[in-house]
């Protein structure tokens, strides 16, 4: 289906982008367009104005600060995969980005777009939550930072409000932590049925499950199989049923991927 008519703006500064977003009620940022143009074609979203972020080159930067990372919201998935900063600071981010969809999606799709869409089957929301990332959100009233634990608020909903822009994702230094990720996708590189990210540090695992709820589910446990299974069983998960998996099967898979993610985090 063709796109419905829509106004289009391509600002060259972040300030102009925020001004456009905050002065038009129906304005929406356009990043890689890998989700947004599809939902617009399906008439599931109908913004009045698309504010294209692709001229905002400063939002593409990836830098390393004190062993941690600053990922510009417009850094592409392929940019992350190729980044030497990511490879040395938190290589799990590149490993997971490389599992997303196909090369075309990874060339166009951005880290910010993946996180802001908050599709519960996406790879990055549980990962950035497990890593303890912080999101920087800019609006006409200024900048604020939101911890990942509070950023994802519902299906397709995040703490980024109307008129605001996610500008960067700050990932702390590993500082001795190990990181892991595991998923059961629909075929190779397909959408996840269930996924889990984990960090293990000082004998404690932080485990974040995806695809089982509207927002990533955060758990903690000792990093052994029995404790991880017990934490998942005790989480009161009520995952959705669909054509790919029943609720019971997703609950079962959640235990499996949580154990694998924690094992991966311990090398
Ligand atoms: C065929 C296909 C398969 C896919 N499979 C997977 C998969 O298995 N796993 C996975 O994780 N992802 C998957 N994706 C999604 C992909 O990873 C993209 O990252 C994702 O679509 C969004 O990135 P984007 O840059 O294209 O954002 P867009 O589509 O441009 O935007 C997505 C949403 O985020 C908002 N937004 C974007 N940037 C910002 C910002 N800086 N501030 C505020 N709001 C913003 C937009 O307004 C829009 O609402 C798939 C996509 C396709 C097309």
């Amino acid at each position: 289906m063709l796109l419905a008519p829509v106004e289009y703006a391509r600002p060259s500064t972040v300030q102009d982008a925020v001004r456009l977003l905050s002065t038009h009620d129906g304005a929406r940022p356009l990043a890689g367009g890998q989700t947004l143009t599809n939902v617009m074609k399906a008439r599931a979203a109908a913004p009045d104005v698309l504010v294209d972020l692709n001229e905002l080159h400063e939002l593409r930067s990836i830098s390393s600060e004190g062993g941690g990372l600053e990922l510009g919201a417009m850094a592409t998935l392929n940019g992350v995969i190729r980044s030497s900063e990511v490879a040395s600071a938190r290589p799990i981010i590149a490993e997971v980005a490389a599992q997303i969809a196909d090369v075309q999606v990874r060339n166009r799709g951005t880290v910010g777009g993946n996180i802001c869409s908050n599709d519960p089957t996406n790879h990055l929301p549980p990962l950035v939550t497990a890593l303890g990332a912080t999101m920087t959100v800019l609006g006409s009233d200024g900048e604020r930072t939101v911890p990942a634990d509070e950023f994802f608020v519902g299906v397709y909903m995040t703490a980024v409000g109307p008129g605001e822009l996610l500008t960067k994702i700050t990932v702390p230094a590993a500082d001795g932590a190990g990181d892991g990720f595991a998923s059961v996708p629909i075929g190779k590189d397909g959408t996840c049925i269930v996924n889990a990210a984990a960090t293990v540090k000082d004998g404690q695992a932080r485990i974040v499950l995806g695809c089982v709820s509207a927002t990533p589910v955060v758990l903690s446990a000792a990093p052994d199989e029995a404790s991880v299974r017990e934490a998942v069983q005790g989480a009161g998960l009520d995952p959705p049923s669909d054509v790919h998996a029943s609720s019971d099967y997703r609950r079962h898979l959640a235990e499996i991927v949580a154990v694998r993610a924690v094992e991966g985090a311990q090398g």
Side-chain angles (χ1 to χ4, degrees):
M1 194 187 287
L2 293 175
L3 289 178
V6 59
E7 299 262 333
Y8 174 82
R10 194 174 169 102
S12 53
T13 68
V14 174
Q15 288 68 28
D16 275 351
V18 169
R19 186 182 51 73
L20 285 161
L21 288 167
S22 55
T23 51
H24 294 87
D25 280 348
R28 192 106 167 236
L30 174 70
Q34 297 302 295
T35 293
L36 186 53
T37 48
N38 287 332
V39 295
M40 288 173 67
K41 282 183 189 169
R43 302 291 193 264
D48 299 323
V49 185
L50 281 181
V51 178
D52 187 341
L53 309 180
N54 282 280
E55 282 302 314
L56 308 179
H57 302 293
E58 71 221 73
L59 298 190
R60 294 217 189 262
S61 77
I62 298 175
S63 59
S64 187
E65 278 295 321
L69 285 167
E70 291 206 340
L71 305 174
M74 287 296 290
T76 62
L77 298 170
N78 254 342
V80 164
I81 292 165
R82 292 182 183 150
S83 162
S84 54
E85 286 85 357
V86 172
S88 65
R90 301 299 285 256
I92 191 74
I93 304 174
E95 286 165 30
V96 173
Q99 296 169 27
I100 295 176
D102 51 43
V103 72
Q104 181 183 339
V105 170
R106 295 193 294 266
N107 272 337
R108 295 289 309 170
T110 64
V111 175
N114 191 290
I115 290 169
C116 287
S117 26
N118 194 27
D119 181 325
T121 68
N122 273 1
H123 286 67
L124 296 187
L127 180 63
V128 296
T129 306
L131 298 180
T134 306
M135 320 300 175
T136 301
V137 178
L138 181 68
S140 52
D141 293 338
E143 197 172 78
R144 64 198 169 90
T145 54
V146 184
D149 280 3
E150 296 165 20
F151 186 79
F152 303 103
V153 297
V155 177
Y156 308 133
M157 291 163 64
T158 69
V160 180
E164 291 186 324
L165 204 57
L166 172 70
T167 55
K168 70 180 174 197
I169 299 103
T170 305
V171 180
D175 202 16
D179 304 324
F181 183 89
S183 69
V184 176
I186 306 162
K188 186 181 176 304
D189 298 335
T191 304
C192 295
I193 296 174
V194 177
N195 61 32
T199 57
V200 176
K201 189 179 175 191
D202 299 334
Q204 194 66 16
R206 175 176 165 85
I207 306 154
V208 185
L209 299 170
C211 315
V212 292
S213 183
T215 56
V217 174
V218 181
L219 306 171
S220 57
D224 62 89
E225 177 170 349
S227 302
V228 173
R229 283 184 181 271
E230 194 183 337
V232 177
Q233 286 162 7
L237 299 179
D238 184 20
S241 287
D242 60 24
V243 66
H244 302 299
S246 66
S247 182
D248 278 348
Y249 185 49
R250 273 202 170 83
R251 213 175 355 254
H252 164 72
L253 289 181
E255 275 182 52
I256 309 282
V257 293
V259 169
R260 288 179 185 165
V262 170
E263 283 173 357
Q266 296 177 101

